[in-house]
Amino acid sequence: MDSRPHILILFRNFSSVYRQNLVTLTRVAQSCGFRCAAIVGPDDRPPAEAVLARVEACANWEDERAIRALARRLARELRIELVFALFEDDVFTAGLIREDLRVPGPTSAVAIHFRNKTVMHTRAAELGIPTPRSCLPLTWKMVSDFIADVGLPVVLKPSGGHGAMHTHRVDRQDDLQRLWHGIENQRELYRLEQYIAGDQFHLDCVVRGGGIVYQVLSRYTANLLNYSSEPGGTVTRQGARTASEDRIVRVNQQVIEGFGLEVGITHGEYFLTGQGEVFLGEIGARPPGGSILPTIAAATGVDLVHTWALAEMAPIFVPPQPRAGEASTRFLASRAHGRIVAQTTQESLLGMEGIVCASLWRSVGDVIGDPQLSSDFLGYVIACAPNSSEAVERVQRAANAFDVVTEPLELVNL
């Protein structure tokens, strides 16, 4: 056996965000005296910049028993002291592996609160934390009775979903019936929730010793489920917070303590109504996705994943001190359909006031249409400013200046 201390990472090559998080995690591990091993998907290749001493491929991410067996085999060859999951779907599996290997960190009994939304909301209710009213859509009568009780719109979502995938805001009864029939014999894996009208926030935290050691509150500038008509974004809320926003911070602390998390990272989403009520939407025990990490870094000067890695692995941890100011991000969208023949350049966007990052996901020659997912856009911009409102104004100006020229596909095919 290799007696040097190792960490084990469950890595899915899902997007550039996950690749960068892997690189950050392995570099911090190296600085803390750990070697790194990773379990990856059958066709996944970790980035070359990741400092990995061992890579093992699993045959199928859905085969939990096989992944646990692979982890146990690695533990017979390597001295594994910690286990990390970067992707939402692997948080519970990582808890089971920690139990198998008898290493510290969130067990499956803790992880399930952050993974299964039905368990999550039930435990939150036990803690006295408001959540949207909900039901399991097992029969059409249950669905109909629920709609009669709470009214439309409602939200249909998987209990174990991630990134708003397969999550739908439903405004009409016939659309709900169509979606309900579409889930067929998987109805027990879904939830039907009351739609909460109000502002949507996310609170990203690093936890060590059972307490929150670093956190950043942000507000979504558009509700995530309105992506088809309203491209989203976020803005940090470090300074000049309202009393209601401070209430979100207190509720989040209650959630983390009540769910039993001793160490890790969380991405919590909350609703704030016009009456000042705070509702837990959902909370995950993993880093945020999309453009949230670079937006937090732009506002605070702090790398959230780096901070999490240190909190987990460093013998002595000193919380970072964020700089003053705010940052906002905005997804870039276009009403144009067809094949792109021209679009605003990255250089043009970066030349606008306050813009510190411009990421374009489509190029000339790509085909575009209506967004199908909450992250299905053409890129994003990030702006810094002394306050939140000015940061939002700057990204909005950049988004308004972004232009795409397309030609119809039927002309391309002539």
Side-chain angles (χ1 to χ4, degrees):
M1 170 189 265
D2 187 334
S3 62
R4 291 170 292 186
H6 287 70
I7 68 169
L8 176 63
I9 306 165
L10 306 183
F11 170 70
R12 301 197 195 198
N13 193 10
F14 193 71
S15 72
S16 60
V17 173
Y18 295 92
R19 292 190 289 274
Q20 182 55 54
N21 290 350
L22 177 68
V23 171
T24 300
L25 190 62
T26 61
R27 288 180 176 174
V28 173
Q30 185 182 44
S31 72
C32 292
F34 290 93
R35 290 168 65 82
C36 302
I39 294 177
V40 304
D43 300 315
D44 286 345
R45 294 195 177 191
E49 299 86 352
V51 187
L52 291 168
R54 181 80 171 266
V55 176
E56 292 281 346
C58 66
N60 181 358
W61 280 117
E62 303 304 315
D63 192 343
E64 183 182 278
R65 293 182 62 182
I67 294 170
R68 292 171 66 183
L70 177 54
R72 289 193 298 269
R73 177 170 67 78
L74 285 170
R76 291 193 292 270
E77 302 172 22
L78 309 172
R79 181 180 145 201
I80 295 173
E81 297 193 352
L82 295 169
V83 178
F84 291 86
L86 297 174
F87 190 66
E88 181 103 25
D89 281 359
D90 301 323
V91 167
F92 184 75
T93 304
L96 292 170
I97 291 173
R98 292 186 191 102
E99 295 166 21
D100 292 341
L101 306 188
R102 299 181 181 180
V103 299
T107 63
S108 62
V110 172
I112 196 170
H113 293 114
F114 297 91
R115 188 67 195 103
N116 184 300
K117 295 176 179 60
T118 299
V119 175
M120 179 190 302
H121 281 210
T122 302
R123 178 57 181 150
E126 292 175 351
L127 297 169
I129 296 164
T131 61
R133 297 174 64 182
S134 64
C135 81
L136 297 181
L138 300 179
T139 68
W140 183 247
K141 184 178 186 307
M142 293 179 70
V143 171
S144 299
D145 289 348
F146 183 74
I147 297 301
D149 194 20
V150 306
L152 292 169
V154 292
V155 178
L156 181 68
K157 62 169 64 173
S159 295
H162 60 81
M165 293 182 68
H166 308 297
T167 298
H168 306 272
R169 169 180 164 161
V170 189
D171 295 272
R172 302 193 315 168
Q173 182 110 351
D174 54 347
D175 288 337
L176 179 58
Q177 191 163 17
R178 175 180 52 80
L179 288 167
W180 181 77
H181 281 298
I183 61 179
E184 294 297 340
N185 63 344
Q186 293 186 316
R187 294 169 191 169
E188 76 281 2
L189 303 180
Y190 280 76
R191 294 170 52 79
L192 197 60
E193 292 184 3
Q194 173 190 19
Y195 179 84
I196 302 297
D199 290 331
Q200 194 172 4
F201 288 78
H202 61 90
L203 185 49
D204 299 281
C205 300
V206 173
V207 178
R208 178 173 166 129
I212 296 171
V213 293
Y214 186 76
Q215 60 185 332
V216 181
L217 178 69
S218 305
R219 176 176 56 83
Y220 287 106
T221 54
N223 189 294
L224 291 178
L225 296 182
N226 298 346
Y227 61 84
S228 61
S229 59
E230 190 178 19
T234 71
V235 60
T236 58
R237 297 289 298 137
Q238 293 196 92
R241 288 205 301 249
T242 67
S244 295
E245 289 173 333
D246 285 336
R247 194 175 305 122
I248 295 172
V249 174
R250 293 195 297 273
V251 169
N252 184 71
Q253 182 173 357
Q254 187 181 357
V255 169
I256 289 173
E257 291 175 354
F259 285 8
L261 187 67
E262 289 293 321
V263 63
I265 187 169
T266 63
H267 173 69
E269 297 185 347
Y270 295 88
F271 296 97
L272 177 62
T273 70
Q275 294 72 43
E277 298 173 288
V278 175
F279 287 81
L280 169 66
E282 55 190 66
I283 184 168
R286 45 79 179 173
S291 59
I292 292 175
L293 286 172
T295 303
I296 289 175
T300 66
V302 175
D303 183 323
L304 192 69
V305 172
H306 185 272
T307 303
W308 164 47
L310 284 175
E312 292 254 15
M313 291 183 277
I316 299 174
F317 175 78
V318 179
Q321 295 300 310
R323 64 184 175 218
E326 309 288 358
S328 181
T329 185
R330 173 67 149 70
F331 285 118
L332 299 173
S334 173
R335 295 288 183 187
H337 286 206
R339 193 177 304 279
I340 298 174
V341 296
Q343 69 177 355
T344 303
T345 66
Q346 184 181 48
E347 292 73 22
S348 296
L349 294 169
L350 289 171
M352 300 187 68
E353 182 183 16
I355 301 299
V356 297
C357 176
S359 179
L360 299 182
W361 300 340
R362 300 291 186 269
S363 304
V364 171
D366 289 346
V367 175
I368 60 173
D370 292 329
Q372 301 300 313
L373 299 169
S374 63
S375 59
D376 190 10
F377 292 103
L378 308 183
Y380 65 82
V381 288
I382 298 173
C384 288
N387 56 66
S388 297
S389 59
E390 191 172 343
V392 171
E393 289 171 3
R394 289 177 174 181
V395 292
Q396 185 63 55
R397 284 197 294 270
N400 291 342
F402 180 70
D403 187 41
V404 175
V405 179
T406 62
E407 58 182 346
L409 290 181
E410 53 266 28
L411 294 181
V412 176
N413 295 329
L414 288 177

